[in-house]
Amino acid sequence: MREAEARGRHDTHNLKISFDHRRHGQPFDLTPDGLRNALAIACGPDPATYVQEKLRQLHELGYEDARIVGNALFRVESEDHLSRVLLGVEPLRPVRLETFDTRFGIPIPYASDLFSELEEIMVEPPSAGVCVIAITGPPLAPAAIFRTEMLFAPPFDGELRMLLRHPDISVRFKETDVAYEAECVFTDRARSLADMVTLLRALTYLGSGKAIMSLTGEGGSFGPIRQPLSTPLTGPYLEDLPALARLASDWQSLLELAGISSQAELTMDDLWSAHRAALAADLLLHTDKKAGFAFDRNELVGIADSVKAIYFDSCQIAGEGISYSVEVTLEATEAQPDVFRSVEFNPIEVRPKVADLNDYMDDLADRFGPGVMIHPDHVRRVDPSELEVPDVRVREA
């Protein structure tokens, strides 16, 4: 009947089907018991189960390979374009599409408008398993490690083409030539903090033009294979990548110091706006500090030429927050005897974010004694060249 339909015969009520009962039949005794036994052998003891199985066969038999197949005509712009399509990086955009319902290997034009408005088709190339790639930068800097799927394009010109696919980054190989790209970086796409750290670290290394990539098959099936990546990364905000990568890594360290296991999903905008978190990282983690404090002598009544103060604050990114405190040594200089400037920072603690900063200030005073407390509400963030002196909250003995 399928072959008849493929030939255009729709008068199936006029067709005859015959078979040789001697070759395909099962003999039985021409008695009621003989017929019952023959039916029990053919259908099994449960008629309902037999009916369900026949209905399944009616819908599924002959579709083991594929149900809908098609022929797509599309325009190839270049060798690279064809490679990207076959690797599943770029969609195939058909100029004409013919679809068939194929059963028992017999195709019949698919009578449906299901694909009439289909504009793009993503090709899924065959997978060859998992490949772990490690992108390294300067000596002793931590690597950015990605667990990727290894895919191969059907050969169309005798050359090997491979794609290492990851949600954040993809690497394409054509023989020994390498191309890489990362998409949806500066968008509202949310990532875990660990994934954000890894991605920004990799992009920073790639942007330097001196990165090295190592490929290793999962379980050590091959490699490691080292491949220099000398072609610099291109795209927007490249000059900001090192600072963003450092901030993401620093924030991960600060959460760990506070005993917080990050569960949040954050976006690039969360990092762009995290000025207070960047200040915390600078004061607590870095020796090459960019931040500093300056106060007018009139605000520090009774202080000679040096004083130790405590700065404290809270900050958060994507709903996960910390509170911290740091001891600040302020000194007047000969050049500016009326201005106290920070000359030394000593971290005190990092803890989960407190509910009230004033209560935190009281707690610090109880533990370390009364003295100069630098309250964040009395500090203004300005360019050093235009430094304006903020207020200082002082706790008297």
Side-chain angles (χ1 to χ4, degrees), residues 130-141:
V130 173
C131 176
V132 178
I133 62 175
I135 300 174
T136 57
L140 302 182

Side-chain angles (χ1 to χ4, degrees), residues 7 61 65 71 81 100 119 122 124 159 187 195 197 218 230 283 305 317 326 336 349 397:
R7 293 194 302 267
L61 278 183
D65 293 330
N71 295 324
H81 172 235
F100 302 89
E119 297 181 354
M122 291 300 298
E124 185 64 22
E159 294 188 326
T187 65
D195 288 345
V197 169
E218 189 172 47
S230 57
L283 296 178
D305 294 325
I317 297 179
V326 58
Q336 292 180 301
E349 67 177 2

Side-chain angles (χ1 to χ4, degrees), residues 40-51:
I41 293 172
C43 302
D46 187 349
T49 301
Y50 175 79
V51 171

Side-chain angles (χ1 to χ4, degrees), residues 132-136 143-146 212-216:
V132 178
I133 62 175
I135 300 174
T136 57
I145 300 175
F146 300 90
I212 295 177
M213 181 173 60
S214 297
L215 287 70
T216 307

